[in-house]
Amino acid sequence: MGLVKVKNTLFILLGAAIFSFGLVNFTLENKLGEGGFTGITLILYFLFKWDPALMNLVLNIPMFFIGWKILGKRAFAYTIIGTVSVSFFIKVFQIVNVHIPLNDDLLLVSLFAGVFLGGGLGIIFRFGGTTGGSDIIARLADKYFGWPMGKTMFLLDALVIAISALTFLDIRTTMYTLVAVFIAARVIDFVQEGMYAARGALIISDHYEEVASKITTQMERGVTYLEGEGFYTKEQRKIVYCVVSKNELFKLKSLVNSVDPYAFVSISEVHEVSGMGFTLDDERNPLHH
């Protein structure tokens, strides 16, 4: 268990470093905005020159006191690690300035800002951390008012970006800020859902036993029988279900076709898989992809 905590902490630190690098060298450097509490620190910086590294901590301290009960001990600890490390790395990258000359190409700036901010946050979220702020408010709104967390965070982001547009952003930089925020959201989803995507297959065939046997022996993948019933025929039949990696999909379809060319096969995306053959080996030891 200790190794898991160390691993999670290290990845949260890595995510905080990536996020902070993007914030300082793309967002701050080119005077773009951002949503949530990070966006508030940018407003305070561009209006009053208040240090975003310090303000990130100052704004989040009340959130720590409000949210520690609903987060749980481990999540609360990871939240503190995430928030403090973000402030630390923001200060580091302000001191160790890495100037990236993009020749005022705000499209490239917004693309890279979205990738770095989204990638950093995605890693933090994936390993159990948060950066406080909007996440804690969203959890409180969900607990006490039943508001969906995604909707609450979207509204908070929209409100902060609107205030930014009324204070330090012009129309052009507001549009590029929206591009960066959109890309960051997509990258967060990509990182959280897992870069190792798989495919789930539902196979309906009169030769289900032979299909299942070949998948097990030739592909070394587990198979599960599901009970099904035809709507019109009312006929009971077994449905074969299995999960394979993306590069095994062609082999699976070829195998099913060789047994039963008339089999019905439905393929769906599986964003994250854990268990035997994917994250555990035959001895139930973790696999490292």
Side-chain angles (χ1 to χ4, degrees), residues 94-116:
Q94 284 178 315
I95 296 171
V96 184
N97 188 24
V98 182
H99 178 65
I100 302 174
L102 293 177
N103 301 319
D104 297 322
D105 189 337
L106 285 182
L107 179 58
L108 275 178
V109 168
S110 60
L111 290 174
F112 278 103
V115 169
F116 274 87

Side-chain angles (χ1 to χ4, degrees), residues 155-185:
L155 291 174
L156 289 171
D157 286 347
L159 177 61
V160 172
I161 292 173
I163 295 172
S164 301
L166 294 172
T167 51
F168 73 91
L169 293 178
D170 56 28
I171 294 177
R172 183 167 177 259
T173 51
T174 298
M175 299 295 284
Y176 282 113
T177 293
L178 293 175
V179 171
V181 170
F182 174 78
I183 292 171

Side-chain angles (χ1 to χ4, degrees), residues 1 6 21-22 32 35 61 66 85 102-103 118 181 205 225 230 245 259 265 279 288:
M1 196 66 179
V6 171
F21 180 87
L32 294 183
I61 287 174
I66 294 172
S85 59
L102 293 177
N103 301 319
V181 170
S205 170
Y225 284 148
S245 60
V259 175
V265 182
T279 57
H288 301 286

